[in-house]
Amino acid sequence: MSARKESMQVIAAVRSNLESCILGKSFEIELLLTALLAGGHVLIEDVPGTGKTQMIKALAKSMSGQYRRIQCNPDILPSDITGVSIFHPRDEQFYFRPGPVMTNILLADEINRATTKTQSALLEVMEERSVTVDGETHPLPHPFMLCATQNPIDFEGTYMLPEAQLDRFMMKITLGYPDEQTERNLLRHGAAGQPVDRLEPVTDMQHIADIQQEIRNVHLDESVSDYLVSVIRHTREHASVLLGASPRATLSFMMAVKAYAFIQNRDYVLPDDVKKLAPYVIPHRILPRPEARMERMSSERIVAQILEQIHAPVSMGQ
């Protein structure tokens, strides 16, 4: 069996596991897998009870990965996430005691309930894949993915995520409520307990790391690359935008479309991949002007306008 075929079977098996736990959310699961295979992090913003935590837990269990969950609140300290050095009297030296961040899949539940000081502890984690405690840097396990959740309608006791942190999330997605038929199926599935508890691993983290390397070889034609860059640059020039997408966003967007193309069993990126992922990769990275917000011009609407204005390449040389 070729490596490519084996990788596609692994992706299909992980997707099947997730779809057996989170019903009716196939596209959102596809976005989560895209971010994982692209080496990115995901912010899931939704109301309570829509399956955010269960989806991340199912992902980690499907891959035999180490999984840790942090329930964020105003009392949590940076050291509660990164770890701390403890003095051992007998040896007369300090030993590093790793925090929950030393894992493959880290779930920061209700991340906006943590103080800004605690949130800042995640900046190095998300970008450098390491933590520095008492001047000593400790690398994280590989692969590593941070999945954070937040409630969009609960503002009491919450702290807005700084722009520098939002920019480190490859995607921001929502699950939303299930449709009526899916909710009926949910009753039947839930009668036997949590589906995630019955999941069996279908791969391991080393195979996921190998697929991440394969994705780097997905072809991005110059015309599609120019289209992607044009979308990003228009966010900086749009009249309603105060802060446009960063160069980090450009690189993140490139890896996302490559991973999405790979999941579709293609070794090249299409302009439609750029169009499809833009609403999930860009809006949380741009800041509309105050007057635009007063006119209810959201980041999502701005990105939709940009996609309508820019001419996508019709064909590309493969």
Side-chain angles (χ1 to χ4, degrees), residues 67-224:
Y67 167 75
R68 298 289 184 273
R69 178 175 179 266
I70 304 168
Q71 184 62 52
C72 296
N73 59 70
D75 295 329
I76 196 171
L77 300 173
S79 58
D80 294 329
I81 296 175
T82 60
V84 64
S85 293
I86 298 177
F87 183 74
H88 196 290
R90 186 185 63 188
D91 297 341
E92 296 185 349
Q93 62 178 339
F94 285 91
Y95 289 95
F96 175 62
R97 183 176 180 180
V101 75
M102 290 294 177
T103 187
N104 295 122
I105 305 293
L106 176 65
L107 171 61
D109 217 355
E110 295 187 291
I111 190 173
N112 55 333
R113 287 195 175 278
T115 63
T116 52
K117 181 178 181 180
T118 300
Q119 289 178 21
S120 67
L122 292 170
L123 295 179
E124 180 187 2
V125 168
M126 297 174 73
E127 187 70 14
E128 281 83 25
R129 296 325 201 254
S130 63
V131 292
T132 302
V133 178
D134 294 335
E136 186 175 353
T137 300
H138 307 272
L140 301 184
H142 178 71
F144 170 78
M145 181 184 193
L146 171 66
C147 299
T149 70
Q150 66 177 7
N151 183 348
I153 61 170
D154 193 357
F155 299 108
E156 187 174 344
T158 62
Y159 303 83
M160 290 184 62
L161 299 186
E163 297 301 324
Q165 187 166 4
L166 285 172
D167 194 36
R168 284 166 165 81
F169 284 105
M170 177 174 282
M171 290 189 191
K172 179 182 175 184
I173 64 178
T174 60
L175 294 180
Y177 291 118
D179 58 42
E180 185 176 352
Q181 185 57 48
T182 300
E183 202 152 12
R184 287 173 180 160
N185 295 336
L186 188 63
L187 289 180
R188 290 194 290 270
H189 280 73
Q194 290 286 3
V196 69
D197 295 332
R198 302 190 294 271
L199 284 186
E200 295 293 334
V202 294
T203 186
D204 55 43
M205 298 308 296
Q206 181 56 53
H207 206 146
I208 296 300
D210 293 340
I211 295 176
Q212 289 178 342
Q213 288 300 313
E214 286 184 65
I215 284 170
R216 294 185 176 277
N217 297 322
V218 172
H219 178 66
L220 182 65
D221 188 77
E222 186 175 352
S223 61
V224 182

